Amino acid sequence: MAPAPLLQTSAPAPPSFPQKAFMDVAEDYDGQYRFAPIQESQVSRAMIKRYFETMYDRAVSDVVIVGAGSAGLTCAYHLASTRPELKVTIIEANVAPGGGAWLGGQLMSPMIIRKPADAFLREIDVPYEDEGPFVVVKHAALFTSTLLSAVLKLPNVVLMNATAVEDLIIHEDFAGKQRVAGVVTNWTLVALNHDTQSCMDPNTITAPIIVSATGHDGPMGAFSAKRLVSAGLLKELGNMRGLDMNRAEPAIVNNTRQVAPGLIMTGMELSEHDGSNRMGPTFGAMIGSGIKAAKEAVRAYDAAKIVDGKVVG
């Protein structure tokens, strides 16, 4: 028997009105523009019902991606579009997803992407100017907004923004080894105010595969890499080295991998984990690393025996 819906409401039906006649005259921009009638409670219930049904459903996910920057969003797009049966849940601490990909470098808008990562631009239909070994998107926001829209259109993707990952769930697995088994979440405004209020406990999401894309060190950057150290799963951070584009970009893509059981790392967080170079204002490695992370997630997921979001073999 199918489970009952999470939220049963007795919301009153919206007021009836002659819809066809209303629509015929509603869009009058000469002082008579009107909206369909509504009750304030309908707005609240429409949001609450969907948001908390989503939280209920995604308490067990197939893959959780931490961070909705360029690497995390690319990973989400490739993973969710190639494996539509998987529940892909993205957690983003900021209100606005996109990370540092809304601008190019030094607050300038053009985005530089080295070849062959330009193939991804064609896949998601982002125009660019070809400069030989690299291409230029006229505004980084064009890339980011197009990718974000493409990700959110996928029916198996959920994005929870303004939501912080406060910790990792770490269990002893079937073989007696420590395994990352999910994330500990809270609303970001709560996470930022633990020192100003009394105890405000978090929530959890269980998932067999976590992809961490929290970026290089910063207020919430390199979160999983730093937590691996404090949890004893990593001896020490490699710490990001100085800028060298030609060394940095292939290192990030080629070293995208499962850095601990259940935890795949992608994007600039790897520079802190591995001690690789930064590449500065060029984004090809973020695209390539995101795609590789998606492939690694599929490989790890398919190799595991999973029951109710937990790896049991």
Side-chain angles (χ1 to χ4, degrees), residues 206-287:
T206 297
I209 307 296
I210 308 299
V211 177
S212 192
T214 67
H216 56 68
D217 199 8
M220 293 186 177
F223 175 83
S224 297
K226 290 185 284 191
R227 188 66 181 100
L228 288 179
V229 174
S230 61
L233 296 179
L234 178 65
K235 183 179 179 181
E236 61 185 4
L237 285 181
N239 295 317
M240 183 170 63
R241 301 296 196 263
L243 191 149
D244 185 334
M245 289 183 180
N246 287 310
R247 295 177 65 187
E249 292 208 270
I252 292 296
V253 178
N254 293 328
N255 290 319
T256 296
R257 67 195 186 280
Q258 192 167 200
V259 297
L263 180 67
I264 294 164
M265 197 166 286
T266 182
M268 288 308 295
E269 188 169 7
L270 269 169
S271 66
E272 303 287 1
H273 183 280
D274 293 353
S276 57
N277 297 88
R278 68 188 301 167
M279 75 279 304
T282 175
F283 289 79
M286 299 301 97
I287 291 171

Side-chain angles (χ1 to χ4, degrees), residues 6 17 19 36 44 51 53 76 84 92 94-95 97 103 115 127 129 132-133 136 149 171 182 212 220 233 246 309:
L6 173 61
F17 62 95
Q19 184 166 342
S44 295
Y51 188 87
E53 282 184 345
E92 169 55 48
N94 287 300
V95 171
L103 289 165
K115 294 179 178 179
E129 295 177 53
V136 183
S149 295
H171 286 168
S212 192
M220 293 186 177
L233 296 179
N246 287 310

